[in-house]
Amino acid sequence: MNESMATEWENWLGQEKSNRESIDKQLGDLSSFHDNPGEFRYREFWDLARETSEMIKTQTPLPDNDREELQRKFDRICRETKKKQANERGARMGNSKRNRDTILEKVREANSCAESAPDDIQILNKAQALLGEALSWLKNDGGKSGPADENPEVSPITNDLMREDRQICWDKWREANEMVFGRRQAIWEENYDQVDPGAKDALDEANEGDPFQALEKVKEAQKKLKETPLSKTHREDIRNILNSAWEIAIAKVNTIRDEKKRNYEEWLERMESQLGEWTAQFQQNEETTTKLQAEIEIFKEQIQSARAKEVGDKLRDQIAEKRQEIKGLERMNGQLEEKIQTIKNKLDG
């Protein structure tokens, strides 16, 4: 063998070794999938497996014995992976079936509950709550609203539902939900027809009738609304009507009260003015009476000292006039006193 051929042979052997090492590394990477903790990454494994298989088949140069050995090692790794994958799929199918059965049982419970009392809104609400639990499991929230919260021994439903089982659950759930919702809707409609007239009557009363009576009708309708099961839309509709009736009635009541207050203040002003006027007149009459009495006493003294009969007679006539005037004032003050007391009684009342 000449030097050139020796060099080529040496290069050939070096390439064989390099190819063997490359494939060994690929096989080592495939095996490492089984050693890593956590979820097995099947998609990445089989992508690398296809690449490795192609290398084993086509890599050159590579001794035949080595190729066969590498193929056997590759096949063993793939068999282990397929077995693992089959086992996991079987386990997942079992979990999916159990989860499916759990969800369907909750749906059947809701159906049974609704069918036992189709006209009882409380029972139908319970059925809807059961469907809500089933829905939370079906949406993969970990059963947060399901029985696992109340009973730690019950395993919550997780994401382990196969496509076929999930579709079965969705179909059954939708069917039950439409039935329960339809019955609840029928009851809501019937209840709405009972509550709505009272609310509209309150609104009509507020618009056209007695606002105080309208407020009472609003209160009665609100009490009935609170006690009557209705959908959110129906309840909001009734509340809007009652709110309108209340606002209209309150506005009218406030107007009436303002008018009454204004009338009362005007009446009070008149009464106080009249009271002041009559009281002043009464006091003036008292003062005038006192003055007349004093004049009479003076005339009496003048009569005693009068020498002429004509002077005494004239003074006596003046005294009679003043006494008559005093009687008139006293009679007037008697009337004024009665009027003053009447006004005071009204003001105190």
Side-chain angles (χ1 to χ4, degrees):
M1 177 182 301
N2 58 36
E3 184 178 348
S4 176
M5 292 181 64
T7 300
E8 290 182 4
W9 179 247
E10 185 177 348
N11 290 339
W12 179 270
L13 293 177
Q15 187 62 47
E16 281 187 338
K17 181 180 178 181
S18 176
N19 289 342
R20 171 63 187 257
E21 289 175 351
S22 296
I23 296 175
D24 279 335
K25 184 180 183 305
Q26 289 283 99
L27 293 174
D29 290 343
L30 286 175
S31 295
S32 68
F33 278 87
H34 292 271
D35 299 331
N36 291 334
E39 186 177 355
F40 197 98
R41 305 189 305 277
Y42 287 104
R43 182 182 296 276
E44 294 180 26
F45 174 88
W46 289 115
D47 287 344
L48 184 59
R50 283 189 289 272
E51 180 182 329
T52 305
S53 176
E54 186 66 21
M55 287 177 65
I56 294 173
K57 292 177 180 178
T58 63
Q59 197 74 279
T60 302
L62 190 67
D64 290 340
N65 291 340
D66 286 6
R67 196 182 302 277
E68 292 175 1
E69 178 189 346
L70 293 171
Q71 185 66 49
R72 286 193 300 270
K73 187 176 181 180
F74 172 78
D75 291 342
R76 176 180 58 78
I77 295 172
C78 289
R79 284 196 302 271
E80 291 175 356
T81 303
K82 288 179 180 179
K83 182 178 179 181
K84 179 180 179 64
Q85 193 170 11
N87 290 339
E88 289 186 4
R89 179 174 177 79
R92 188 186 174 198
M93 290 178 66
N95 288 336
S96 179
K97 182 179 183 303
R98 285 190 294 272
N99 291 340
R100 180 199 67 193
D101 291 345
T102 300
I103 293 174
L104 292 181
E105 178 58 31
K106 188 65 66 173
V107 173
R108 282 191 291 269
E109 187 179 351
N111 268 324
S112 177
C113 189
E115 290 171 356
S116 68
D119 298 323
D120 189 329
I121 192 65
Q122 299 301 328
I123 298 298
L124 292 174
N125 288 343
K126 180 181 177 181
Q128 194 67 58
L130 291 170
L131 290 174
E133 292 179 21
L135 180 62
S136 69
W137 294 342
L138 194 51
K139 286 184 174 181
N140 304 321
D141 68 352
K144 292 178 181 177
S145 59
D149 289 336
E150 302 173 2
N151 184 1
E153 297 180 358
V154 178
S155 298
I157 291 179
T158 62
N159 196 28
D160 206 1
L161 262 178
M162 305 292 284
R163 178 181 298 180
E164 182 178 352
D165 288 336
R166 185 177 297 279
Q167 188 60 50
I168 291 173
C169 290
W170 272 117
D171 291 343
K172 293 296 183 182
W173 184 89
R174 289 192 183 97
E175 180 181 345
N177 187 63
E178 288 176 3
M179 182 268 291
V180 172
F181 181 79
R183 292 181 178 179
R184 294 172 77 203
Q185 185 71 29
I187 294 176
W188 291 335
E189 291 289 348
E190 182 178 349
N191 290 344
Y192 178 78
D193 290 340
Q194 295 176 2
V195 178
D196 182 58
K200 290 181 177 177
D201 182 42
L203 182 59
D204 290 341
E205 187 73 38
N207 282 318
E208 306 296 339
D210 182 352
F212 294 95
Q213 185 64 29
L215 294 178
E216 292 302 316
K217 290 185 177 182
V218 169
K219 292 176 182 178
E220 292 176 6
Q222 286 176 332
K223 181 180 178 182
K224 190 171 184 180
L225 176 64
K226 185 177 180 181
E227 299 170 348
T228 306
L230 290 170
S231 69
K232 182 179 180 180
T233 301
H234 286 152
R235 191 171 299 278
E236 287 300 319
D237 185 30
I238 297 296
R239 281 177 178 167
N240 289 337
I241 294 174
L242 293 178
N243 287 341
S244 296
W246 184 269
E247 291 173 1
I248 294 171
I250 281 293
K252 291 185 176 180
V253 166
N254 289 337
T255 299
I256 292 172
R257 288 174 177 170
D258 290 344
E259 181 67 22
K260 286 184 177 181
K261 181 180 179 181
R262 185 167 55 254
N263 291 340
Y264 172 75
E265 290 173 349
E266 291 175 356
W267 172 84
L268 182 62
E269 184 179 357
R270 290 196 303 273
M271 291 298 100
E272 290 176 344
S273 175
Q274 187 69 70
L275 178 63
E277 181 181 338
W278 286 343
T279 300
Q281 183 65 51
F282 182 89
Q283 292 174 348
Q284 183 179 351
N285 290 345
E286 287 283 313
E287 293 173 358
T288 301
T289 299
T290 299
K291 180 179 179 183
L292 291 173
Q293 290 285 4
E295 291 176 352
I296 289 174
E297 294 300 321
I298 293 173
F299 287 164
K300 285 182 179 180
E301 293 177 359
Q302 291 176 352
I303 290 174
Q304 292 179 356
S305 62
R307 296 182 178 183
K309 182 176 181 298
E310 293 82 2
V311 173
D313 292 340
K314 185 177 179 180
L315 290 171
R316 289 186 184 90
D317 290 340
Q318 290 179 342
I319 289 173
E321 290 176 2
K322 291 186 182 295
R323 284 177 175 171
Q324 190 65 33
E325 188 176 349
I326 287 173
K327 286 182 181 180
L329 291 172
E330 289 177 341
R331 185 169 54 254
M332 183 184 297
N333 271 9
Q335 296 173 349
L336 286 173
E337 192 171 16
E338 290 180 2
K339 292 180 179 180
I340 289 170
Q341 189 59 46
T342 299
I343 289 181
K344 287 182 175 180
N345 289 341
K346 288 181 178 180
L347 293 177
D348 291 340

